[in-house]
Amino acid sequence: MCRWIAYKGQPVFLEHYITTAEHSLIHQSLHAEQGKTETNGDGFGIGWYGTRSEPGIYREVLPAWNDCNLKSLAAQIQSPLFFAHVRASTGTATSRNNCHPFSYGPWMFMHNGQIGGYEHVRRAMESQLDDYHYGRRLGTTDSELLFLLALQEDLQSCAVKALTKVLIKVRQYMLDKGVADALRFTSCLSDGKRLFGFRYASDKFAPSLFYRRYDNGDVVLVSEPIDRQSECWTEVPQGHSICFTENKVTLRELAF
Amino acid sequence: MCRWIAYKGQPVFLEHYITTAEHSLIHQSLHAEQGKTETNGDGFGIGWYGTRSEPGIYREVLPAWNDCNLKSLAAQIQSPLFFAHVRASTGTATSRNNCHPFSYGPWMFMHNGQIGGYEHVRRAMESQLDDYHYGRRLGTTDSELLFLLALQEDLQSCAVKALTKVLIKVRQYMLDKGVADALRFTSCLSDGKRLFGFRYASDKFAPSLFYRRYDNGDVVLVSEPIDRQSECWTEVPQGHSICFTENKVTLRELAF
Amino acid sequence: MCRWIAYKGQPVFLEHYITTAEHSLIHQSLHAEQGKTETNGDGFGIGWYGTRSEPGIYREVLPAWNDCNLKSLAAQIQSPLFFAHVRASTGTATSRNNCHPFSYGPWMFMHNGQIGGYEHVRRAMESQLDDYHYGRRLGTTDSELLFLLALQEDLQSCAVKALTKVLIKVRQYMLDKGVADALRFTSCLSDGKRLFGFRYASDKFAPSLFYRRYDNGDVVLVSEPIDRQSECWTEVPQGHSICFTENKVTLRELAF
Amino acid sequence: MCRWIAYKGQPVFLEHYITTAEHSLIHQSLHAEQGKTETNGDGFGIGWYGTRSEPGIYREVLPAWNDCNLKSLAAQIQSPLFFAHVRASTGTATSRNNCHPFSYGPWMFMHNGQIGGYEHVRRAMESQLDDYHYGRRLGTTDSELLFLLALQEDLQSCAVKALTKVLIKVRQYMLDKGVADALRFTSCLSDGKRLFGFRYASDKFAPSLFYRRYDNGDVVLVSEPIDRQSECWTEVPQGHSICFTENKVTLRELAF
């Protein structure tokens, strides 16, 4: 499994959550305690919103803990909303274009999970992309493909609806191809203003999703808690989405 | 344009043609004299036949002249038939999976040229791949796609026929999409025994293709002559294929 | 030769001078027109001052034109003072630690030139480093070594004096070892407030150094002019330093 | 701790011990069961003897499990004597020049262990190198430095004597600087004919060293057993060297 963290709140230096703290993502990428995959050494990425509507993206195939550029960038860049992701490949190659987060215009997406039998449904899914989104396919992961399909389903209008539609379709492709493995999808999405989390699986084992909300309104949304104050972390139940806007937290059951 | 060299003959250390000589491929990648593109710094690759039927493949995104691994490999590996390729990207990303040569079973392929308006015909071409070959698509280049399509056209039975079929189809896709740019295809192919060269363009400007045959039967097939003894190099005319077997050289006009 | 650009003025997006313009550094790294070395593909680096006193540093061994991270970073980061450097190695390895700029605390340094017979004087020069600066030696270039020696000569008090002292010493080591090749040193330095340029050679062939000052006080200091409006660029004469502060430009002859 | 394997015997494809087997080094680099360091993702290297007296060397900063080049090379290259090493850095940077094995002429060396307080004794050790060996220092690791010092102590005449001398000196430097941490040194060395192992520590915790000798004389020397047939593996006791020649195994106590 991959690991990731998303932050929304007062502008902070990225390093606070990515490189310096004891429970920063880098520390986690070396010592994955709760995930199935033992090491998250198959590339990483960060994405952040600055003064432009499109996020900045930095992705690299080295293990995050070995990248001195990441250390310097995380020490310089401040942002009110950013993602960081360390990858443990579930089969596809380690290349920058296969690293999360993925972005399109102001949207940014990262994912933890897997389409069961991806090699059997990949083609059917790719053929669903219209020419415009097909031309924006740069890597080979299921994650990027899910993001492109959601963009095509008008993610911009309603992110929850778009992703639900995509998951229903993918589930159908898997059934059509007789894939017995599960579809598991825990993900994070943003348009630079709102922060969304999704937690879904076709079986009972959706990858975990937690958040912590500080008194000042700052929010940290993560694949796993980054400290041991477990009472401070709220688990998003399977089959739900969560949305953080300036003042509100909205938890919704996904409608399948 | 890319640059490449292929060798068939007495086993030699790869370094002789790749790293050490004054006119080796590495020298050329720094000082491209005749090609249009000024520098071939967008990755490189080598492929060679050893004791197995499948070739060994080594590809890297660094400029060839900066790779100390290449120097050591070229000094160690001897082969009776090998390829080396330095890439100047015509648009697609620099990643190992986009570097030449491409291989499948005992077949190895490298290419210099371009499908005009590739972004407009790529999808139609990819949809022609059957599931089996679609699953073997690892990168995003036109070159790999042409190779997969040729494999599907039974390259194994007749390489010239298969590649001709593919080029005719690609030309048709380009016409269908109203692409005015040319299709240019100078390439090199081997099954570990025979060495094939192709030189084709839909206009008059097929990338160059030369060979030199030594008295002992050794053959060097190249995108451009690697020394200034121009009288020793034979140009393969546009619209032709050439095939080197143990004792024979066969030049054929491509049938369109 | 390497190529570089330094900017000091109103905060601008780095992309303006690094990635987008026709005469940006990336364009230049592919098409070196005036330099001796044909291609600057041996790594690159950027450094910029943000809200901290230490600059951010991003260095990579890929050719600059192939790095999608650079494109995104240059589009996001705004700075009132930054450096960018594309490297053409004069012998030492291509590694991130050998890429410019080099930094120490608030100081940042980049260099174009060469210590003649570096392999003969390197050891004597390294032995001049005190333990503290020896421990900060991360790469193997002459450039980093010159910077560390200058730091040790109290660069912080007077940059011009410190660098002059270092050059005099290096020249002496070269004479001691009977090195006939020249010492050539065109460089750029900053503490986040002032921008310094140096142009020196032990023969008549110091690498070029130009600047352009806009009406609003913005300054661009470069190894070569980045546009063809040659009347707008002022050449810094050999054997001189130049210093840009908030309101002043100070040209000084180097005292040897 | 790093992990490594060395093989001497009938020529085999490297893949047998490096990439394919359940207990190959790649499997181990992902699932380090006995070592202290949890993951060996800080680069790797292989070295092998072919038809030349100098070994071939291939080193890369990616985790070994992500390198498709390694898979192809290990499937092509056959050798009667080779090394493979996966690195877990003890502090120095991840760069190719810091990856093992190191080579000089026909000699090849790899190491598992650490010079306690290396940052305090590094300079004194480097100053012991004569100009010739100083010029051959390419990286910054303690391992490369130990190898260069041993070469200078006439490793070629007696490897055991040379390495013992170096360890005694290093121990002295550590005492001089008041370093309390241990010197730990388990290593592997070859000249292309003989295979040496060393296991030493200044405390009781020398990194482990095992070998397995097959009936046909093939030998595998490893940092940890690569299968669970523990009865087949012989542990080299701390404070000993072992040497495998064509017909003989010589275990010697190190003389300090």
Side-chain angles (χ1 to χ4, degrees):
Chain A
M1 298 305 233
C2 304
R3 276 166 181 264
W4 53 261
I5 185 170
Y7 172 86
K8 180 184 177 322
Q10 307 304 311
V12 293
F13 284 108
L14 272 56
E15 67 178 3
H16 187 68
Y17 289 102
I18 296 179
T19 51
T20 59
E22 191 190 344
H23 291 284
S24 70
L25 202 66
I26 282 209
H27 186 85
Q28 285 191 52
S29 71
L30 269 167
H31 311 269
E33 287 168 46
Q34 304 187 327
K36 269 201 242 170
T37 310
E38 285 149 43
T39 301
N40 300 92
D42 303 336
F44 71 90
I46 58 173
W48 68 97
Y49 293 96
T51 56
R52 301 200 149 167
S53 60
E54 309 85 33
I57 299 285
Y58 174 69
R59 303 186 292 185
E60 183 51 281
V61 295
L62 292 174
W65 62 82
N66 272 332
D67 187 45
C68 47
N69 286 327
L70 176 62
K71 259 179 235 168
S72 188
L73 292 171
Q76 291 291 331
I77 299 170
Q78 282 177 291
S79 171
L81 208 171
F82 62 84
F83 289 12
H85 185 279
V86 288
R87 187 165 174 256
S89 168
T90 53
T92 42
T94 298
S95 72
R96 287 184 178 175
N97 281 332
N98 282 350
C99 288
H100 306 229
F102 302 97
S103 72
Y104 176 80
W107 290 88
M108 189 155 70
F109 172 77
M110 62 183 171
H111 173 226
N112 185 21
Q114 189 166 12
I115 297 176
Y118 174 52
E119 68 278 18
H120 301 300
V121 298
R122 176 184 161 191
R123 182 170 201 165
M125 287 170 62
E126 289 182 340
S127 74
Q128 292 297 311
L129 291 172
D130 58 32
D131 284 358
Y132 180 81
H133 291 92
Y134 194 88
R136 268 132 202 91
R137 174 86 157 136
L138 298 176
T140 55
T141 58
D142 50 358
S143 306
E144 183 197 29
L145 187 46
L146 290 165
F147 180 48
L148 289 171
L149 287 167
L151 285 166
Q152 188 171 302
E153 294 288 354
D154 203 12
L155 180 70
Q156 290 88 336
S157 297
C158 179
V160 177
K161 223 182 261 177
L163 277 166
T164 309
K165 263 194 199 173
V166 170
L167 292 174
I168 288 170
K169 280 192 186 173
V170 172
R171 191 76 199 106
Q172 191 56 51
Y173 294 133
M174 291 168 67
L175 290 173
D176 292 350
K177 291 281 183 179
V179 172
D181 293 340
L183 169 61
R184 297 198 184 116
F185 178 84
T186 296
S187 73
C188 184
L189 187 76
S190 181
D191 59 359
K193 285 169 191 154
R194 294 165 295 168
L195 176 65
F196 297 90
F198 298 85
R199 188 177 178 210
Y200 166 80
S202 65
D203 59 9
K204 293 181 177 171
F205 308 108
S208 58
L209 180 63
F210 292 87
Y211 70 92
R212 179 170 182 173
R213 206 162 173 246
Y214 293 85
D215 291 344
N216 67 353
D218 293 353
V219 171
V220 184
L221 181 68
V222 292
S223 59
E224 278 115 10
I226 54 173
D227 60 43
R228 292 174 190 226
Q229 299 173 276
S230 53
E231 70 283 4
C232 302
W233 293 91
T234 307
E235 187 167 13
V236 177
Q238 179 159 339
H240 283 72
S241 71
I242 193 154
C243 177
F244 303 92
T245 56
E246 202 157 339
N247 309 302
K248 255 194 337 195
V249 185
T250 313
L251 183 74
R252 280 207 279 177
E253 197 172 347
L254 295 170
F256 281 91
Chain B
M1 298 305 235
C2 305
R3 278 169 179 263
W4 54 261
I5 185 171
Y7 172 86
K8 179 183 178 323
Q10 308 304 312
V12 293
F13 286 106
L14 271 56
E15 66 178 3
H16 187 68
Y17 289 102
I18 296 179
T19 52
T20 58
E22 190 190 344
H23 292 283
S24 70
L25 202 64
I26 282 209
H27 186 84
Q28 284 192 51
S29 70
L30 270 167
H31 312 267
E33 285 167 47
Q34 304 189 326
K36 270 201 244 170
T37 312
E38 284 148 44
T39 302
N40 300 92
D42 303 335
F44 70 90
I46 58 172
W48 68 98
Y49 294 95
T51 58
R52 300 197 151 170
S53 60
E54 308 84 33
I57 299 285
Y58 174 69
R59 303 186 291 184
E60 184 51 282
V61 295
L62 292 174
W65 61 82
N66 272 332
D67 188 45
C68 47
N69 286 325
L70 177 62
K71 260 180 233 167
S72 187
L73 291 170
Q76 291 290 330
I77 298 170
Q78 284 177 289
S79 170
L81 206 170
F82 61 85
F83 289 12
H85 186 278
V86 288
R87 188 167 173 257
S89 168
T90 52
T92 43
T94 298
S95 73
R96 287 186 179 176
N97 281 332
N98 282 351
C99 288
H100 306 226
F102 303 96
S103 73
Y104 176 80
W107 290 88
M108 188 155 70
F109 172 77
M110 62 183 171
H111 172 226
N112 185 21
Q114 188 167 11
I115 296 176
Y118 174 51
E119 67 278 18
H120 301 300
V121 298
R122 176 184 161 192
R123 181 170 201 165
M125 287 171 62
E126 288 183 340
S127 74
Q128 292 296 311
L129 290 172
D130 58 34
D131 285 358
Y132 180 81
H133 291 93
Y134 194 87
R136 267 134 204 88
R137 174 85 156 136
L138 299 175
T140 55
T141 57
D142 51 357
S143 306
E144 183 196 29
L145 186 47
L146 290 165
F147 180 47
L148 289 170
L149 287 167
L151 285 166
Q152 187 171 302
E153 294 288 355
D154 204 11
L155 181 70
Q156 289 88 337
S157 297
C158 179
V160 177
K161 224 182 261 176
L163 278 167
T164 308
K165 265 194 198 174
V166 170
L167 293 174
I168 289 170
K169 280 191 186 175
V170 172
R171 193 74 200 106
Q172 191 57 51
Y173 293 133
M174 292 168 67
L175 291 173
D176 292 350
K177 292 280 182 180
V179 172
D181 293 341
L183 169 62
R184 298 198 183 114
F185 179 83
T186 296
S187 73
C188 184
L189 186 77
S190 180
D191 59 0
K193 285 171 192 153
R194 295 166 294 168
L195 175 65
F196 297 90
F198 297 86
R199 187 176 178 210
Y200 166 80
S202 66
D203 59 9
K204 292 182 177 172
F205 307 107
S208 58
L209 180 62
F210 292 88
Y211 70 92
R212 180 170 181 172
R213 206 160 172 247
Y214 293 85
D215 291 343
N216 67 353
D218 294 353
V219 171
V220 183
L221 181 68
V222 294
S223 58
E224 278 116 9
I226 54 173
D227 60 43
R228 293 174 188 226
Q229 300 173 275
S230 53
E231 70 284 4
C232 302
W233 294 90
T234 307
E235 187 167 14
V236 177
Q238 179 159 339
H240 283 72
S241 72
I242 193 156
C243 176
F244 303 92
T245 57
E246 203 158 338
N247 309 301
K248 255 195 334 196
V249 185
T250 313
L251 183 74
R252 281 207 277 176
E253 197 173 348
L254 294 170
F256 281 91
Chain C
M1 299 305 235
C2 305
R3 277 167 179 263
W4 54 261
I5 186 169
Y7 172 86
K8 180 183 177 325
Q10 308 303 313
V12 292
F13 285 107
L14 272 55
E15 65 178 3
H16 187 68
Y17 289 101
I18 297 179
T19 51
T20 59
E22 191 191 343
H23 292 284
S24 69
L25 202 64
I26 283 209
H27 186 85
Q28 284 191 51
S29 70
L30 269 167
H31 310 270
E33 285 168 50
Q34 304 189 327
K36 270 201 243 167
T37 311
E38 285 149 43
T39 302
N40 300 92
D42 302 335
F44 71 90
I46 58 173
W48 68 98
Y49 293 95
T51 57
R52 301 198 149 169
S53 60
E54 308 84 33
I57 299 285
Y58 174 70
R59 305 186 290 184
E60 184 52 284
V61 294
L62 292 174
W65 61 82
N66 272 333
D67 188 44
C68 46
N69 286 326
L70 176 62
K71 261 180 232 169
S72 188
L73 292 170
Q76 291 290 332
I77 298 170
Q78 283 176 291
S79 171
L81 207 171
F82 62 84
F83 288 11
H85 185 278
V86 289
R87 188 166 173 257
S89 169
T90 53
T92 42
T94 298
S95 72
R96 286 185 179 176
N97 281 332
N98 282 350
C99 288
H100 307 224
F102 304 96
S103 72
Y104 175 80
W107 290 88
M108 189 156 68
F109 172 76
M110 62 184 171
H111 173 227
N112 184 21
Q114 189 166 12
I115 296 176
Y118 175 51
E119 67 279 18
H120 301 299
V121 298
R122 176 183 162 192
R123 182 172 200 164
M125 288 171 61
E126 289 182 341
S127 75
Q128 293 297 312
L129 290 172
D130 58 33
D131 284 358
Y132 180 80
H133 291 93
Y134 194 86
R136 266 134 203 90
R137 173 86 157 137
L138 299 175
T140 54
T141 58
D142 50 357
S143 306
E144 183 197 28
L145 186 47
L146 290 165
F147 180 48
L148 289 170
L149 287 167
L151 285 166
Q152 187 172 303
E153 293 288 355
D154 203 13
L155 180 70
Q156 289 88 337
S157 297
C158 179
V160 177
K161 223 182 263 176
L163 278 166
T164 309
K165 264 194 199 172
V166 170
L167 292 174
I168 288 171
K169 281 193 186 175
V170 173
R171 192 74 199 108
Q172 192 55 51
Y173 293 134
M174 291 169 67
L175 290 173
D176 292 349
K177 293 280 182 181
V179 173
D181 293 340
L183 168 62
R184 299 199 182 114
F185 178 83
T186 296
S187 73
C188 184
L189 186 77
S190 181
D191 58 359
K193 284 169 194 153
R194 294 166 295 168
L195 175 64
F196 297 90
F198 298 87
R199 187 176 177 210
Y200 166 79
S202 66
D203 59 8
K204 294 181 178 173
F205 308 108
S208 58
L209 179 64
F210 292 88
Y211 70 92
R212 180 171 181 172
R213 205 160 174 246
Y214 294 85
D215 291 343
N216 67 353
D218 295 353
V219 171
V220 184
L221 181 68
V222 294
S223 59
E224 278 116 10
I226 54 173
D227 59 43
R228 292 175 189 226
Q229 300 173 274
S230 52
E231 70 284 4
C232 302
W233 293 91
T234 307
E235 187 167 13
V236 176
Q238 179 159 339
H240 284 72
S241 72
I242 193 156
C243 176
F244 303 92
T245 56
E246 204 156 339
N247 309 303
K248 256 195 333 196
V249 185
T250 313
L251 183 74
R252 280 207 278 177
E253 197 173 347
L254 295 170
F256 280 92
Chain D
M1 299 305 233
C2 304
R3 277 168 179 264
W4 54 261
I5 185 170
Y7 172 87
K8 178 183 178 324
Q10 307 303 311
V12 293
F13 284 107
L14 272 54
E15 65 177 5
H16 186 69
Y17 289 101
I18 296 178
T19 51
T20 59
E22 189 190 345
H23 291 283
S24 70
L25 201 66
I26 282 209
H27 186 84
Q28 285 192 52
S29 70
L30 269 167
H31 312 269
E33 285 168 48
Q34 304 189 326
K36 270 201 239 169
T37 312
E38 284 148 46
T39 302
N40 300 92
D42 303 335
F44 71 89
I46 58 174
W48 68 97
Y49 293 96
T51 57
R52 300 199 151 169
S53 61
E54 309 84 33
I57 299 284
Y58 174 70
R59 304 186 291 185
E60 183 51 284
V61 294
L62 292 174
W65 62 82
N66 272 333
D67 187 45
C68 48
N69 286 327
L70 177 62
K71 261 180 233 169
S72 187
L73 291 171
Q76 291 291 331
I77 299 171
Q78 283 176 291
S79 171
L81 207 170
F82 62 85
F83 288 11
H85 185 278
V86 288
R87 186 165 174 257
S89 168
T90 52
T92 42
T94 298
S95 72
R96 286 185 179 175
N97 280 333
N98 282 350
C99 289
H100 307 226
F102 303 97
S103 72
Y104 175 81
W107 290 89
M108 188 157 68
F109 173 77
M110 62 183 171
H111 173 227
N112 185 21
Q114 189 166 11
I115 297 177
Y118 174 52
E119 66 278 19
H120 301 301
V121 298
R122 177 183 161 193
R123 180 169 202 167
M125 288 171 61
E126 289 182 340
S127 74
Q128 292 296 311
L129 290 172
D130 59 32
D131 285 358
Y132 181 81
H133 292 93
Y134 194 86
R136 266 132 204 90
R137 174 89 157 133
L138 299 176
T140 55
T141 60
D142 51 357
S143 306
E144 183 197 29
L145 186 49
L146 290 165
F147 180 48
L148 289 170
L149 286 168
L151 285 166
Q152 188 170 301
E153 294 288 355
D154 203 12
L155 181 70
Q156 289 87 336
S157 296
C158 179
V160 177
K161 224 182 264 177
L163 278 166
T164 308
K165 264 193 199 173
V166 170
L167 293 174
I168 288 171
K169 280 191 186 175
V170 173
R171 193 74 200 106
Q172 192 56 51
Y173 294 131
M174 292 169 66
L175 290 172
D176 292 350
K177 293 280 182 180
V179 172
D181 294 340
L183 169 62
R184 298 197 184 116
F185 179 83
T186 296
S187 73
C188 184
L189 186 76
S190 180
D191 59 359
K193 287 174 190 148
R194 295 166 295 167
L195 176 65
F196 297 90
F198 297 87
R199 187 177 178 210
Y200 166 80
S202 65
D203 60 9
K204 293 181 176 174
F205 308 107
S208 58
L209 181 62
F210 292 87
Y211 70 93
R212 180 170 182 173
R213 206 161 173 247
Y214 293 85
D215 292 344
N216 67 354
D218 293 353
V219 171
V220 184
L221 181 68
V222 293
S223 59
E224 279 116 9
I226 54 173
D227 60 44
R228 294 176 187 225
Q229 298 172 277
S230 53
E231 72 283 7
C232 302
W233 293 90
T234 306
E235 187 167 13
V236 176
Q238 179 159 338
H240 283 72
S241 72
I242 193 156
C243 177
F244 303 92
T245 55
E246 202 156 342
N247 308 303
K248 255 195 334 196
V249 185
T250 313
L251 183 73
R252 281 207 277 177
E253 197 171 348
L254 295 170
F256 281 92

